[in-house]
Amino acid sequence: MLFKNLGSQFPERTAEDGGPRRWLVLAAALAFSWLVPLGLNLVRLDVVLIPVLVLAIASLIRVGGGLLDRLVVAAFILCGAVMALGLLLSLWPWGLQPVPGVGLFLSVISLSGWLARRRPSLPWRVRGSDLLVLGTAAVVWHYVHHPLVGKSAADRIAYFATAEDRMGHFSYFDGIHHVGGYAFLHQEAARTYMMTPAEAVYPQGTHFLLAWIDVLVKSSTDGGAALGMMNRYLLYVMAAYALFCAALVWAARWVGGPRLRGWRAAAVCATVLSVMLSGSMAFLVEKGFDSETVGLLFLTVALALLLRPAMGRVEFAVVAVAALVSVTFVYNLYGILVGIALLAALVVHRRRFAVRRRLLIGVLAGGVVVAGLPTVFSVLTKLDVAKTSNLAGPMVIPDRPVLIGCTLLGLVAAALPVNRRTATGRTVLAVLLGATLVMAVFGFWQKHTIGYLSYYFEKLAAGGLVISLISLGMVGLMLQPAERTRTSPIRRRAGSLALSAVVTAAALSMFAGVQWGVPSGWSKPSAWYDSPMVKWSKGEAKSDMGPAVNLLTERDLKGVSTPVIALYNNDSYHSLKATFLAQLLTHQGGDMLGLYEVYYVKVGGPAVPDKAETEKDKGKTEAEKAADRENEYQSSLEHLKRAIASCPYPPTILVGDAKVAERLKQDLGSANVAATVVYAPFPSS
């Protein structure tokens, strides 16, 4: 109905748009909407439905003059629709089954096109700078995927388990897979797979979207063995990071608009690419900040389309709702940035949207309600907003010089009279100032309450970095365009291509530290070789799981259906991750509420003191050293008992040293603690 009521003005209408509605056409389109997913499902090629859906949406919207622009917007709308309609899919009897879900999506698309009298049409125009957008995705994918090449599924887990954050995200993905929808709508069932209260309070848009994609990839709602699911999940989040980097390049070009072309477009795109190749944001992959990565991806596209809404009212309404839903469902912290951009767009373009303004506002208000449902639900149940906002934890800190410098450049460019007279310039200026104010207020509040800038400030700063990089599209307009000459079109294109290649190489050298084979001149490597992405590509960031993965997958979990505590050695952090991994491999990620008690259990392997303990024991007698080890054991035993008590039924405890296993068996038995202690030899390093 949205297309019917708002569809009075569309840019780039095709000659065929606006014809009579034919019932036979609608019937054929609806039949096609169900026969295609049914046929592809029969041959187990449901994954083909993803490009089918994107192309179907792209053929009906009228946004952008180029093919890549149209496909980006269509994919963005599809993701927002999947997450919004996921509320329905979570409650109807078919869950995430491919045929009913995709049949519904295609039916909605067909009906919308029929009501709007739209005939399928795609722009086939491509731009030279499309290569930089697609090349960014390809280059980043090469670097993040390179460590996995040639490795077995078990060996790849060293890159999956670099941090417990990713393991937690996988548990949400696994839970949604099993319950067939959003976990907050199936809380009781979801608690088996994820640690409470995550099933109620954590944004689940990323995990729902990836589970929906995985169902199409597998052509089944059965995800199969957990090890295979982990490998596919790891590939999905790596692809998401590559798409995030490419989306930033595309967004900067989009904000620049049709005036940004030729070597100036190449300069902007290459600068954004260079910053992402060498900057600190690549730590998102290593730290396992998967929801933040996907949230930044959607935030990038949402902001670009709101900063320069080069589309009709219908498309604007659809894109704005998709922006609200996709960003808040995935990472609700960034919802405020989308809100600032949407408000700025409505104010700056108020005359353009004056016709049927009430209807537009009503549609947007409905989008706000849908987008806010999961967040409101979490706040009204178990989420303590003030406490959560000040959480501490591992951080990915955006490069401050880049953040500050690009923000200032964006402000200068948007404030210049030539750009300030444009709607895009005014919107960019408003969003830059608004986002800076929000970050300043939040930072001041954290300084006032806890005395330092913590976890969520840096995540908000990452959103600020996205805005500052996108604003480089306005900065590109400050460059002097090349004068047109009377030479032949072929020579002009060749000259433009040569200039674009030169500025791309210059940007990579200045902002990514690429030396093009020239000797450094210093003993230390350039910024490029010292960047987190290159280090990840070389395998320097993998976890220290060692042989634990192979032992769990090939030996110690066979026939085990209880919760598992893996104490292969005395490294408590290794034990924590091995235990969490064991829970995930048995699809029981939420069955041990006291998982983090394992972090304080420092027994399991032979008593071999490390260097720190040796330094600490200097000057002590053998009796004092023995007393310290006994105290350490008793402390570990108490924490182990708490972990066991949190399990719904008696766990299996894997112990790497025979003597420790025997003592734990006796001590737990004498304390009437029900658990099965198993000696599981762990090879010494």
Side-chain angles (χ1 to χ4, degrees), residues 1 97 210 272 336 365 478 493 509 534 623 679:
M1 295 302 292
Q97 291 182 28
L210 295 184
V272 177
I336 188 170
M478 298 166 59
R493 289 182 180 275
S509 294
V534 171
Y679 168 48

Side-chain angles (χ1 to χ4, degrees), residues 57-78:
I57 296 173
S59 68
L60 294 181
I61 61 176
R62 302 294 182 256
V63 179
L67 180 60
L68 181 61
D69 294 340
R70 184 72 63 85
L71 294 177
V72 169
V73 177
F76 179 67
I77 292 173
L78 174 62

Side-chain angles (χ1 to χ4, degrees), residues 547-548 551 555-556 567-568 604 654-658 661 678-684:
L551 294 179
R555 186 190 72 182
D556 295 337
L567 306 178
Y568 286 124
L654 306 173
V655 184
D657 181 72
V678 176
Y679 168 48
F682 190 74
S684 58

Side-chain angles (χ1 to χ4, degrees), residues 433-629:
L433 292 174
T436 301
L437 178 62
V438 168
M439 289 175 57
V441 170
F442 187 52
F444 175 80
W445 181 72
Q446 284 200 332
K447 285 279 192 177
H448 177 71
T449 53
I450 59 176
Y452 60 94
L453 301 177
S454 72
Y455 187 72
Y456 279 107
F457 176 84
E458 299 302 340
K459 292 181 179 293
L460 186 61
L465 179 64
V466 164
I467 296 173
S468 69
L469 289 175
I470 291 175
S471 69
L472 291 182
M474 298 297 297
V475 176
L477 298 176
M478 298 166 59
L479 302 173
Q480 183 69 28
E483 293 185 6
R484 298 184 67 86
T485 63
R486 294 185 179 181
T487 57
S488 67
I490 294 179
R491 291 186 65 181
R492 283 201 303 269
R493 289 182 180 275
S496 177
L497 181 61
L499 286 174
S500 298
V502 171
V503 297
T504 299
L508 288 168
S509 294
M510 290 188 295
F511 303 113
V514 178
Q515 297 175 205
W516 309 107
V518 177
S520 174
W522 291 276
S523 57
K524 62 181 182 180
S526 70
W528 170 250
Y529 294 102
D530 203 37
S531 67
M533 185 178 296
V534 171
K535 288 184 175 181
W536 169 272
S537 177
K538 292 179 178 178
E540 296 179 15
K542 68 179 181 180
S543 74
D544 58 350
M545 295 303 294
V549 178
N550 288 305
L551 294 179
L552 288 171
T553 55
E554 298 175 8
R555 186 190 72 182
D556 295 337
L557 293 183
K558 290 184 177 181
V560 177
S561 58
T562 65
V564 173
I565 299 175
L567 306 178
Y568 286 124
N569 52 39
N570 300 332
D571 184 336
S572 58
Y573 188 52
H574 184 281
S575 296
L576 169 67
K577 289 197 291 185
T579 298
F580 201 178
L581 184 61
Q583 305 305 111
L584 298 178
L585 288 169
T586 55
H587 299 291
Q588 300 178 92
D591 272 352
M592 186 185 299
L593 295 180
L595 171 67
Y596 283 89
E597 292 289 340
V598 178
Y599 180 72
Y600 301 99
V601 178
K602 300 180 180 180
V603 297
V608 180
D610 60 22
K611 184 177 180 181
E613 290 174 334
T614 303
E615 291 292 328
K616 184 179 65 175
D617 288 342
K618 280 184 177 179
K620 292 185 179 180
T621 65
E622 289 301 321
E624 290 173 332
K625 293 177 184 178
D628 287 344
R629 288 193 293 270

